[in-house]
């Protein structure tokens, strides 16, 4: 069972295969792993203690940052992820921690959970994916339907006071030039940096 894997200088954490989206560009559609990792399909979700043990065993200080990402949406295990963050902060205070998320945490829990992120992350990278609810739904096929986009965008605004760096990301190959420009404008309205990434096939 692969709980940690390495991407460039980051130690990535794979806690769950659950997700609230079914994105057209999801790496899970193209194989079993990512960036040369072993299979990221989990035979079961590791306990938070097992995740922590796997991080310690991977010698995390050898990496530039810890990244909660994996083959699923990490905030589906919000309590456990924040507990692991607390362990990292207490044991390796100099380590940077990033979350890659679809931004649905508050939708998942039915309340604004943004304040719970305080002190846990240096960076939260949120998949914007599209400039409108309709375009988002066409690519991401969320279980929340058209509400997914607003939920994601509201979370981004709500979490900003609690995290030093919040950024949005889009996948270049899944947007028209017009849509890309609209995404840029949207980011400007909330003062969030836009990261344009390439499709991983
Ligand atoms: S949100 Fe992430 S894990 Fe979920 S389907 Fe989309 S790309 Fe895959």
């Amino acid at each position: 069972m692969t709980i940690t894997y390495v991407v460039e200088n980051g130690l990535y954490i794979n806690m769950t295969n659950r997700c609230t989206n079914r994105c057209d560009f999801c790496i899970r559609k193209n194989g079993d792993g990512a960036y040369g990792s072993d299979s990221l399909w989990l035979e079961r979700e590791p306990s938070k203690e097992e995740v922590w043990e796997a991080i310690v065993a991977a010698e995390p200080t050898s990496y530039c940052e810890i990244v909660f990402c994996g083959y699923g949406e990490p905030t589906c295990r919000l309590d456990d992820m924040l507990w692991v963050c607390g362990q990292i902060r207490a044991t390796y205070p100099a380590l940077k921690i990033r979350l890659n998320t679809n931004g649905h945490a508050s939708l998942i829990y039915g309340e604004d959970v943004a304040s719970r992120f305080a002190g846990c992350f240096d960076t939260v990278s949120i998949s914007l994916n599209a400039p409108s609810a309709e375009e988002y739904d066409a690519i991401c096929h969320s279980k929340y339907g058209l509400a997914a986009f607003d939920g994601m965008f509201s979370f981004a605004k709500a979490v900003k006071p609690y995290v030093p760096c919040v950024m949005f990301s889009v996948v270049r190959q899944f947007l028209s030039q017009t849509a890309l420009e609209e995404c840029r404008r949207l980011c400007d309205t909330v003062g969030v940096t836009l990261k344009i990434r390439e499709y991983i096939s």
Side-chain angles (χ1 to χ4, degrees):
M1 182 158 72
T2 303
I3 302 173
T4 65
Y5 58 106
V6 176
V7 180
E8 297 174 349
N9 294 319
L11 182 66
Y12 279 56
I13 314 301
N14 180 40
M15 290 183 72
T16 184
N17 292 150
R18 285 181 277 160
C19 190
T20 49
N21 278 359
R22 290 180 292 108
C23 302
D24 290 340
F25 51 80
C26 185
I27 53 170
R28 302 185 301 182
K29 291 186 158 194
N30 301 326
D32 289 343
Y35 304 97
S37 75
D38 290 335
S39 173
L40 295 176
W41 292 116
L42 297 162
E43 61 217 38
R44 61 176 173 80
E45 289 190 342
S47 68
K48 61 182 192 269
E49 291 85 4
E50 286 176 308
V51 174
W52 172 235
E53 284 164 16
I55 291 172
V56 172
E59 299 182 359
T61 51
S62 310
Y63 301 93
C64 292
E65 62 179 346
I66 304 287
V67 184
F68 288 86
C69 183
Y71 251 29
E73 169 50 42
T75 62
C76 286
R77 296 191 62 187
L78 185 62
D79 288 344
D80 291 342
M81 179 180 67
L82 297 182
W83 180 86
V84 174
C85 285
Q87 297 296 112
I88 297 169
R89 289 288 194 228
T91 312
Y92 309 107
L95 260 181
K96 301 285 186 202
I97 309 178
R98 168 160 52 109
L99 167 65
N100 289 353
T101 177
N102 65 15
H104 289 175
S106 294
L107 285 172
I108 293 168
Y109 297 98
E111 60 180 7
D112 182 358
V113 294
S115 63
R116 297 190 60 196
F117 288 65
C120 293
F121 299 98
D122 298 283
T123 301
V124 171
S125 177
I126 301 169
S127 302
L128 178 66
N129 295 337
S132 71
E134 289 75 14
E135 289 162 282
Y136 182 95
D137 193 47
I139 301 172
C140 299
H141 317 289
S142 177
K143 68 180 274 191
Y144 300 113
L146 292 177
F149 181 83
D150 281 350
M152 171 274 296
F153 202 72
S154 297
F155 172 77
K157 288 188 284 186
V159 86
K160 259 191 93 186
Y162 302 107
V163 178
C165 176
V166 175
M167 60 174 71
F168 277 129
S169 71
V170 294
V171 182
R172 184 194 305 276
Q173 289 82 355
F174 281 75
L175 285 178
S176 66
Q177 193 57 38
T178 305
L180 194 53
E181 288 311 316
E182 287 172 21
C183 286
R184 278 192 217 281
R185 273 197 293 277
L186 213 45
C187 290
D188 288 345
T189 63
V190 287
V192 170
T193 304
L194 179 64
K195 180 181 175 191
I196 302 168
R197 68 175 183 87
E198 305 298 321
Y199 175 54
I200 304 160
S201 57

